[in-house]
């Protein structure tokens, strides 16, 4: 079956990752009137799974990747990283298919699997070790809400790439995609203290007081943790899009409520 594409179905892409050979990536978003739920790609209730599968196919066709090869996990707002082999391609792709497991990040060096995490304000993080002149690339994708951020899912993903495939942190290129911005992400003392415990003296880079609460920057927090994991600043691209401010074009849990849809961050190695 041919999945229709049109000018509205244009995924968000990173200029940094687009410059690297051997990988394809895309981030879906909200398109008013697209399908039953504005382009949602998540299956969890109260969403229509048949419509979401249709949207996955449509977005993947527009992105040049195979929806039947998607790999997803049960996201738990932590720092568990799942290693993906070629046999896992399609796990969690279609409705009713079993996911690879629980966690918030996926890594692989296999051609075939299309790694995908789901988001509605939480930070999408895409990783590429291009391995120029050496075998094929190593890739990863992570979902980082505040809990995953303070658990250092970003650093754990880099370490998983190193442990499984010999990646050197200095070679990794990372994109922090669209997420809720520090303009809109108000948090309480629990989050602030958890971040202070993780960041120490550098906590102020991502946290500022606001009345009796705080404004937290997922992008700044994860950039700091990526730096600590050995990723060079010039190899990190950061989107300044705020999913709540730009709610017409992005799903936002804070702006639209828990029943809103989810957008997908996808990455694969080209064969």
């Amino acid at each position: 079956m041919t999945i229709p594409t049109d000018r509205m179905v244009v995924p968000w892409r990173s200029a940094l990752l687009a410059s690297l050979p051997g990988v394809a990536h895309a981030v879906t978003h909200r398109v008013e009137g697209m399908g039953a739920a504005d382009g949602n790609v998540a299956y969890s209730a109260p969403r229509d799974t048949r419509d979401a599968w249709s949207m996955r196919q449509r977005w993947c066709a527009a992105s040049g990747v195979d929806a039947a090869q998607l790999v997803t996990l049960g996201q738990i707002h932590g720092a568990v990283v799942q290693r993906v082999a070629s046999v896992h391609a399609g796990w969690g792709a279609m409705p009713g298919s079993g996911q690879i497991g629980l966690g918030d990040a996926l890594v692989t060096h296999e051609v075939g699997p299309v790694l995908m995490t789901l988001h509605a304000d939480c930070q999408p993080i895409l990783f590429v070790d291009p391995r120029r002149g050496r075998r094929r690339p190593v890739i990863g994708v992570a979902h980082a809400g505040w809990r995953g951020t303070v658990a250092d899912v970003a650093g754990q993903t880099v370490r998983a790439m190193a442990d499984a495939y010999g990646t050197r942190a200095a070679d990794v290129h990372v994109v922090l995609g669209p997420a809720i911005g520090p303009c809109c992400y108000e948090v309480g003392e629990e989050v602030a203290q958890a971040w202070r415990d993780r960041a120490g003296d550098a906590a102020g880079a991502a946290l500022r007081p606001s009345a009796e609460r705080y404004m937290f920057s997922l992008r700044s927090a994860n950039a700091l943790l990526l730096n600590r994991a050995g990723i060079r600043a010039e190899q990190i691209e950061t989107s300044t899009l705020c999913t709540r401010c730009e709610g017409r074009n992005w799903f936002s849990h804070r702006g639209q409520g828990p029943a809103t849809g989810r957008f997908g961050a996808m990455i694969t190695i080209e064969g």
Side-chain angles (χ1 to χ4, degrees), residues 60-87:
C60 285
S63 304
V65 301
D66 186 353
Q69 303 296 300
L70 286 168
V71 181
T72 66
L73 36 61
Q75 296 174 186
I76 54 176
H77 292 275
V80 175
V81 183
Q82 295 283 354
R83 180 178 175 180
V84 179
S86 57
V87 70

Side-chain angles (χ1 to χ4, degrees), residues 217-260:
S217 174
L218 290 172
R219 64 178 74 120
S220 297
N222 283 287
L224 172 66
L225 297 173
L226 288 164
N227 290 154
R228 288 185 174 179
I231 311 300
R232 294 184 289 191
E234 62 269 24
Q235 292 179 186
I236 301 173
E237 178 185 334
T238 304
S239 169
T240 58
L241 283 169
C242 171
T243 49
R244 185 173 185 182
C245 287
E246 301 289 337
R248 181 174 180 180
N249 299 315
W250 295 93
F251 295 111
S252 170
H253 184 279
R254 284 288 181 104
Q256 299 150 6
T260 193

Side-chain angles (χ1 to χ4, degrees), residues 145-235:
W146 78 260
R147 293 183 186 276
T149 297
V150 302
D152 195 16
V153 68
Q156 286 295 94
T157 305
V158 175
R159 288 184 279 276
M161 294 167 70
D163 292 344
Y165 312 116
T167 287
R168 298 177 303 188
D171 295 334
V172 178
H173 295 65
V174 181
V175 169
L176 298 166
I180 193 167
C183 50
C184 292
Y185 198 25
E186 187 178 47
V187 299
E189 183 60 33
E190 176 192 9
V191 178
Q193 189 56 53
W195 173 242
R196 292 188 202 103
D197 292 342
R198 169 62 65 182
D201 293 342
L207 190 71
R208 62 178 175 83
S210 175
E212 296 180 358
R213 292 170 68 80
Y214 302 87
M215 306 307 292
F216 187 45
S217 174
L218 290 172
R219 64 178 74 120
S220 297
N222 283 287
L224 172 66
L225 297 173
L226 288 164
N227 290 154
R228 288 185 174 179
I231 311 300
R232 294 184 289 191
E234 62 269 24
Q235 292 179 186

